[in-house]
Amino acid sequence: MKVLVFAGSTRSGSYNRKLAREVAALTRERGAEVTHLELGDYDIPMYNADLEAKGTPADVLKLKQVFHEHPAWLICTPEYNASYPALVKNTLDWLSSPVKGDPVWSDDMRFSRGKVVGVLSASPGALGGLRSQSHLVPLLFNLHCWIAPQVYALGRAATAFDEQGRLVDDGARKHVGAVIDQVLWAAGRLQAG
């Protein structure tokens, strides 16, 4: 199973980037082929229809293909003002915008249709970014994704990782693993169907 893992943050010390690294490692341990994507490695401007009319940025086209090639996604989203960050929304807005006249990418949902998505979050607060998940899930439904009912919000993230960036708590690893397992199971069933 090909699984795409990414965090909705580019900050160097981001808890969600740490969580995404753990998610990628735990997913590989389960035998999946993992692409751990860093959104900061792509030059994606703020979405603007006037800019798009001049041509879809090359990195947007690259990301469309990467997302399309993975039947399963695991997203680690920060929580900004009780919702997901602009980086996540902007990326998904670009990816879902059809490329007029393109025989492949004129289909706006080609990159996302039928993907199985696991949603996780990390936050220094007690809720662990749970409110961001409640806003992100409807957006993913709108993109025709299947959302795993098992989610995980890592609270008190400032003390949740050791110096190597690994989760210190076995319970947290178990919860992360439960999300991964459900996504792998569901994506396997959909692909077989």
Side-chain angles (χ1 to χ4, degrees), residues 61 65 98-108 110:
L61 293 172
Q65 187 62 39
V99 181
K100 290 178 178 65
D102 188 287
V104 174
W105 298 115
S106 59
D107 177 353
D108 56 347
R110 184 173 193 268

Side-chain angles (χ1 to χ4, degrees), residues 81-158:
N81 294 311
S83 191
Y84 53 83
L87 175 64
V88 173
K89 181 71 163 73
N90 187 62
T91 300
L92 294 174
D93 285 348
W94 270 111
L95 294 179
S96 64
S97 187
V99 181
K100 290 178 178 65
D102 188 287
V104 174
W105 298 115
S106 59
D107 177 353
D108 56 347
M109 299 299 165
R110 184 173 193 268
F111 86 101
S112 58
R113 186 181 296 109
K115 306 304 180 184
V116 176
V117 184
V119 179
L120 306 96
S121 58
S123 168
L127 294 179
L130 195 59
R131 295 173 297 184
S132 66
Q133 295 181 18
S134 70
H135 289 188
L136 181 57
V137 166
L139 170 59
L140 294 168
F141 279 138
N142 192 62
L143 296 175
H144 302 184
C145 296
W146 296 86
I147 313 304
Q150 183 74 47
V151 298
Y152 182 56
L154 175 67
R156 297 180 175 75

Side-chain angles (χ1 to χ4, degrees), residues 7-175:
S9 177
T10 57
R11 185 174 65 86
S12 61
S14 164
Y15 302 125
N16 284 280
R17 287 181 69 205
K18 289 180 182 180
L19 182 59
R21 283 190 290 273
E22 275 288 81
V23 167
L26 291 169
T27 305
R28 282 187 190 101
E29 287 176 9
R30 285 158 167 78
E33 180 184 338
V34 175
T35 300
H36 181 188
L37 187 80
E38 289 285 357
L39 291 178
D41 292 341
Y42 293 83
D43 185 16
I44 309 286
M46 288 300 292
Y47 180 79
N48 178 315
D50 292 335
L51 177 62
E52 184 181 32
K54 296 174 185 175
T56 301
D59 276 1
V60 170
L61 293 172
K62 288 178 192 173
L63 271 183
K64 281 178 178 278
Q65 187 62 39
V66 170
F67 275 69
H68 171 69
E69 290 172 353
H70 294 79
W73 305 345
L74 290 159
I75 304 174
C76 300
T77 179
E79 180 176 291
Y80 295 175
N81 294 311
S83 191
Y84 53 83
L87 175 64
V88 173
K89 181 71 163 73
N90 187 62
T91 300
L92 294 174
D93 285 348
W94 270 111
L95 294 179
S96 64
S97 187
V99 181
K100 290 178 178 65
D102 188 287
V104 174
W105 298 115
S106 59
D107 177 353
D108 56 347
M109 299 299 165
R110 184 173 193 268
F111 86 101
S112 58
R113 186 181 296 109
K115 306 304 180 184
V116 176
V117 184
V119 179
L120 306 96
S121 58
S123 168
L127 294 179
L130 195 59
R131 295 173 297 184
S132 66
Q133 295 181 18
S134 70
H135 289 188
L136 181 57
V137 166
L139 170 59
L140 294 168
F141 279 138
N142 192 62
L143 296 175
H144 302 184
C145 296
W146 296 86
I147 313 304
Q150 183 74 47
V151 298
Y152 182 56
L154 175 67
R156 297 180 175 75
T159 58
F161 300 93
D162 64 20
E163 290 182 8
Q164 288 74 42
R166 301 294 313 259
L167 285 167
V168 296
D169 182 63
D170 287 338
R173 271 192 300 282
K174 182 179 177 184
H175 288 300

